[in-house]
Amino acid sequence: MSNAVTLRLRTSLERRIEADCITPDRFATASAAEIAHLAMWDGRRQVMLGDVFDVDGERSTSVRMTGDLAHVDAIGAGMTAGELVIDGPVGRYVGTRMAGGVLRVLGNAAYGAGLEMANGLLDITGDAGDRLGAARLGASKGMTGGEIIVRGNAGAESGTGMRRGTIVITGTAGPRAGTSMIAGNVIVFGDADDAPGQFNKRGSIVVFGHVTVPPNYRYVCTYRPPHLAVTLVYLRARRDVAVNAAWNAGLFRRHSGDMAEVGRGEILEWRSEA
Amino acid sequence: MNIRGVLIEDTFAEAFGMRGARVIITARDQRWAREAAHKMTGFATSVIACKVEAGIERELAPEDTPDGRPGISVLMFTMDSDSLAKRLIERIGQTVLTCATTACYDGLPNAPDRMSIGKPLRTFGDGFQSSKVIGGRRFWRIPVMEGEFLIEESFGKVNGVGGGNFLILANDAESALAAAEAAVDAMRRIPGIVLPFPGGIVRSGSKIGGKRYKSMIATTNDAFAPTLRALTATQLPDGVNAVLEIVIDGVDADAITAAMRAGIAAACREGVHSVSAGNYGGKLGPHHFHLREIMAEVA
């Protein structure tokens, strides 16, 4: 048993590889040789993990990956425990369906990060691509739990169909954030201008920057939502997220919607200091 | 044993097990947190008639509360788990939910034994309520005329200790009160305990049952009542003309011990003859706090 398993990309990749075998819980009881023999997919061709990565360490739930992994997809898919740190950019579907543990991406993440995630923490220090924490195309439910923190900008359709859980985007959210939310939270520190919250049932979209509230939302009041204070304290204290002190003192315009749906969702628009 | 000329009697306080909860009340400012806490802990001196014993544990700075606002920590104790949940629901529902700007959180989030408190209270929202999970803890947003009341769904409970006590036997009532006040001031700095009686002090200590009125659960502690010295088997030494009692409930025996040590040390002052404690020969409760053991490191 070692303190951690380190996977180093041997050479830069030109073709995409699907690496859903890379999860800390799977490495917990595996020797270095067994880890090197885990199967990955290059299109229809199966490749061994050891063909692509140098493996250092064994039998640990702490995993670190280095190299430009922008062409490696589905890392941490379905992981249930442990810590996986990706030291650089990563490909599509990182942390998809993850149900526990901590997955840190020290760089950008491509399309579908945290897709249908059920629990755990996905922390991305760079930007995230489209459909962050969303449902698969055609599926009805996105994230059902856990937390996603993006310390940069996010692409289109973040949180589409999410049922529970929290997505925090410290930068700007792309078009159609929170589309078809069933519940849960999408918190955007920057702007969310392009049609957020369409078909939202009970979800909360919080925007501290500029937001263009769709016409199918109705302004209801300006107030201080108490749960947001708890959320901001939590993010600052437990997730090391930089929170503007003025946000706690400020007021929020509450817009209820989507009124074409059940109308129990909300867009909370931070307005000013009290 | 003597501390500054005050005799520490060779006796013990007898306490019993209770079920306890810690409630964190926050508000816009300390004034409104205190308003709610005072209402919530009102009429909660003894389980004999109040069904619950409660008190303010301490004030909380904004950095010590879940929402970054000023707060108050309240401890509540009952004799069993079921009644603890009932009393919490009643009291939070009537005194915290109703109080302007407040929110209400569990102060024992790591306690494995849980009670559903916010969940039944959510029905005040008449179906308009909603919930949020933040950091693995579920909170209910209950719409009210002011905006929203936020309450945590479940609260932890612990096996606490109730009825820790000591008696201050003084030359006169003024000296007894001054010593008791000093003790209360010292004990309120100890975390994990509350002093449920008015000002933390009891003037009407009781004995179990009654000699004349057999239906009474508790009657006056005639052995320590100075006006009855000639009529009863008094336990008052010569020169003692007033006795006050401090009753302590705590989240565990260590907290009670620490509070008794601080309180007795502060109470040993001019005009105090001795410090004693109430017990029932060891038959009532499993927790025995021996005064001389507690005060050994102070004396």
Side-chain angles (χ1 to χ4, degrees):
Chain A
M1 184 174 172
S2 50
N3 289 335
V5 174
T6 302
L7 305 179
R8 288 185 197 85
L9 187 67
R10 286 184 175 165
T11 57
S12 59
L13 300 169
E14 293 182 2
R15 293 170 56 84
R16 306 202 75 82
I17 287 181
E18 189 166 320
D20 60 357
C21 63
I22 301 175
T23 64
D25 35 354
R26 185 171 287 191
F27 289 6
T29 57
S31 67
E34 288 169 332
I35 292 171
H37 276 86
L38 290 172
M40 304 192 299
W41 292 93
D42 173 0
R44 294 170 58 190
R45 188 170 66 90
Q46 199 175 64
V47 294
M48 298 297 108
L49 187 147
D51 297 336
V52 180
F53 293 96
D54 288 326
V55 180
D56 183 13
E58 59 186 1
R59 295 187 178 88
S60 175
T61 56
S62 178
V63 180
R64 189 172 191 96
M65 300 182 70
T66 60
D68 183 351
L69 304 173
H71 283 76
V72 184
D73 297 337
I75 295 174
M79 66 181 275
T80 59
E83 184 178 34
L84 172 55
V85 178
I86 299 167
D87 196 356
V90 70
R92 301 177 300 195
Y93 303 114
V94 65
T96 183
R97 298 188 313 280
M98 71 181 282
V102 176
L103 202 168
R104 299 186 197 282
V105 179
L106 309 181
N108 297 335
Y111 178 95
L115 206 73
E116 297 182 350
M117 175 176 176
N119 208 343
L121 170 65
L122 172 57
D123 192 336
I124 300 166
T125 61
D127 296 336
D130 295 347
R131 295 188 78 83
L132 172 76
R136 280 174 294 125
L137 288 173
S140 60
K141 282 183 192 167
M143 246 179 116
T144 56
E147 296 171 29
I148 299 177
I149 297 173
V150 177
R151 299 169 197 262
N153 302 318
E157 298 177 359
S158 296
T160 293
M162 69 186 290
R163 172 70 182 81
R164 292 189 196 90
T166 297
I167 296 175
V168 178
I169 301 164
T170 65
T172 294
R176 301 179 299 284
T179 296
S180 299
M181 283 178 80
I182 302 166
N185 310 287
V186 175
I187 300 170
V188 184
F189 287 7
D191 301 336
D193 271 329
D194 193 350
Q198 298 283 356
F199 315 113
N200 178 10
K201 290 185 172 65
R202 293 179 181 80
S204 293
I205 299 171
V206 183
V207 184
F208 291 96
H210 188 267
V211 58
T212 303
V213 179
N216 38 353
Y217 277 72
R218 180 177 299 163
Y219 167 76
V220 291
C221 67
T222 299
Y223 79 130
R224 190 170 284 126
H227 75 284
L228 272 185
V230 180
T231 304
L232 294 175
V233 168
Y234 170 78
L235 289 173
R236 184 174 53 219
R238 303 292 292 278
R239 297 292 179 235
D240 198 25
V241 174
V243 172
N244 186 339
W247 293 343
N248 262 337
L251 296 168
F252 291 79
R253 285 169 60 85
R254 186 178 198 267
H255 307 269
S256 288
D258 178 334
M259 300 309 291
E261 292 282 346
V262 292
R264 296 202 171 194
E266 63 186 354
I267 293 177
L268 294 168
E269 177 189 15
W270 185 74
R271 290 298 288 178
S272 65
E273 295 182 29
Chain B
M1 177 186 283
N2 270 273
I3 298 175
R4 293 188 288 278
V6 175
L7 172 69
I8 307 299
E9 301 247 14
D10 186 11
T11 187
F12 63 93
E14 188 172 356
F16 40 87
M18 298 186 88
R19 299 292 275 163
R22 178 182 279 132
V23 176
I24 307 297
I25 301 167
T26 67
R28 174 182 179 274
D29 51 36
Q30 195 61 246
R31 172 192 167 182
W32 284 104
R34 207 163 34 237
E35 286 285 349
H38 281 155
K39 282 282 185 270
M40 185 177 173
T41 58
F43 188 58
T45 55
S46 169
V47 289
I48 293 173
C50 308
K51 302 179 182 175
V52 64
E53 297 181 10
I56 291 173
E57 183 186 21
R58 61 193 174 111
E59 293 188 354
L60 300 172
E63 55 269 25
D64 295 327
T65 65
D67 59 13
R69 301 191 300 168
I72 297 272
S73 171
V74 164
L75 293 178
M76 276 185 62
F77 296 91
T78 62
M79 297 306 289
D80 61 83
S81 291
D82 289 347
S83 62
L84 182 61
K86 286 177 187 167
R87 302 291 92 79
L88 279 166
I89 292 165
E90 287 170 358
R91 287 181 180 248
I92 292 172
Q94 295 303 310
T95 66
V96 186
L97 186 154
T98 56
C99 182
T101 79
T102 59
C104 193
Y105 308 103
D106 173 29
L108 298 168
N110 297 321
D113 217 356
R114 312 295 300 169
M115 297 172 287
S116 191
I117 303 298
K119 193 172 184 180
L121 283 171
R122 83 192 192 286
T123 55
F124 182 75
D126 198 21
F128 297 108
Q129 72 277 4
S130 62
S131 75
K132 289 291 168 202
V133 176
I134 304 167
R137 295 162 70 171
R138 183 175 294 278
F139 300 84
W140 284 98
R141 299 167 62 186
I142 301 173
V144 291
M145 294 191 299
E146 182 200 43
E148 285 178 347
F149 172 64
L150 188 71
I151 182 168
E152 195 154 357
E153 176 166 272
S154 78
F155 283 62
K157 57 186 169 185
V158 293
N159 290 319
V161 178
N165 68 83
F166 61 90
L167 302 168
I168 299 167
L169 284 65
N171 300 339
D172 53 70
E174 284 297 318
S175 298
L177 186 59
E181 288 175 344
V184 167
D185 289 345
M187 296 168 80
R188 282 188 169 153
R189 290 193 279 270
I190 305 296
I193 62 113
V194 290
L195 310 174
F197 283 89
I201 301 167
V202 189
R203 72 169 178 182
S204 58
S206 60
K207 65 177 182 291
I208 295 175
K211 293 174 181 171
R212 178 164 181 176
Y213 305 109
K214 300 300 180 190
S215 62
M216 291 291 285
I217 298 170
T219 57
T220 190
N221 192 356
D222 52 83
F224 284 91
T227 58
L228 303 178
R229 198 191 295 264
L231 302 175
T232 191
T234 187
Q235 292 187 35
L236 295 179
D238 289 343
V240 171
N241 290 294
V243 179
L244 290 175
E245 182 178 3
I246 311 280
V247 173
I248 311 134
D249 295 336
V251 295
D252 55 35
D254 290 344
I256 300 264
T257 300
M260 287 179 67
R261 183 178 295 124
I264 292 171
C268 291
R269 50 190 286 156
E270 193 175 345
V272 176
H273 177 277
S274 54
V275 173
S276 186
N279 65 65
Y280 308 92
K283 295 173 187 168
L284 180 67
H287 302 282
H288 299 164
F289 298 93
H290 292 267
L291 299 188
R292 291 189 174 178
E293 287 178 17
I294 289 171
M295 301 310 294
E297 61 186 60
V298 177

